[in-house]
Amino acid sequence: MAENVPENALFVCFGAMSNVGMMTGLAALEAVKQVEPGKAGIFCLGGLPTQAPSVLEKTRAVKRIITVDGCPLNCSRKIVEQAGFTPAVTINLVTDCGIQKKPSSQFNPAEMQPATDAIVKAILSSDPKQEA
C-alpha cells in the first residue's frame, strides 16, 4: 500500500477558464484545511491520463474518490473514469451548488462557501462519527 495516503482522494478541475473552474481548486484547498489530517488530499488530476505510477498507486490505495467539477463538462469526473476509477461522490458546482458559471474575470471569493461546504460534507460522509 502506498505511504501517506489520505482516506479520500479529491480530483478537482481547477480550470481557470471560468469562475467555477477556479473555485473547485480553491474550495477543495479550504475543505482539506477544515477536516482532520488524513481525511482528504488533493490528488494530481494530470497524473491519471499520463499514467504517472505514483498517482495511480496512491489512487488505488484510497478508500474513496471524490471528483469536483466546476461546470457541466465534468472534466475531472471523466478523466477519473477514463483512468479506470469510479468516484464515490461527484460534485458539480453549477448543478449541485447552484453557482452560476461566469468568466474567470468575474471570480468572487464570497461565492465559494457552498462549494467548500459540499466538499467537506462529501469528505465527512464516510466518517461514521459525522453521520450521527
Side-chain angles (χ1 to χ4, degrees):
M1 186 163 180
E3 292 182 36
N4 300 317
V5 177
E7 290 179 30
N8 296 278
L10 299 175
F11 285 99
V12 300
C13 163
F14 219 147
M17 293 179 70
S18 71
N19 64 322
V20 289
M22 288 193 297
M23 205 176 294
T24 61
L26 297 173
L29 288 167
E30 183 58 33
V32 169
K33 289 192 305 187
Q34 290 182 18
V35 299
E36 66 185 77
K39 289 299 289 180
I42 299 173
F43 277 45
C44 179
L45 186 61
L48 295 177
T50 61
Q51 299 182 14
S54 62
V55 175
L56 294 174
E57 178 186 0
K58 289 182 180 188
T59 303
R60 287 184 195 106
V62 298
K63 290 183 181 177
R64 295 171 68 232
I65 296 171
I66 299 168
T67 61
V68 184
D69 283 295
C71 75
L73 292 175
N74 293 310
C75 296
S76 63
R77 178 184 56 80
K78 290 175 182 177
I79 290 169
V80 166
E81 290 174 346
Q82 287 175 0
F85 297 100
T86 303
V89 179
T90 61
I91 299 168
N92 182 292
L93 302 192
V94 170
T95 59
D96 297 326
C97 300
I99 302 169
Q100 184 180 1
K101 183 177 181 178
K102 301 174 188 172
S104 59
S105 62
Q106 295 180 27
F107 174 77
N108 180 354
E111 295 178 321
M112 271 188 15
Q113 196 60 51
T116 302
D117 291 347
I119 297 167
V120 169
K121 182 179 177 183
I123 292 166
L124 297 180
S125 69
S126 66
D127 187 346
K129 295 180 288 187
Q130 298 295 326
E131 294 176 1

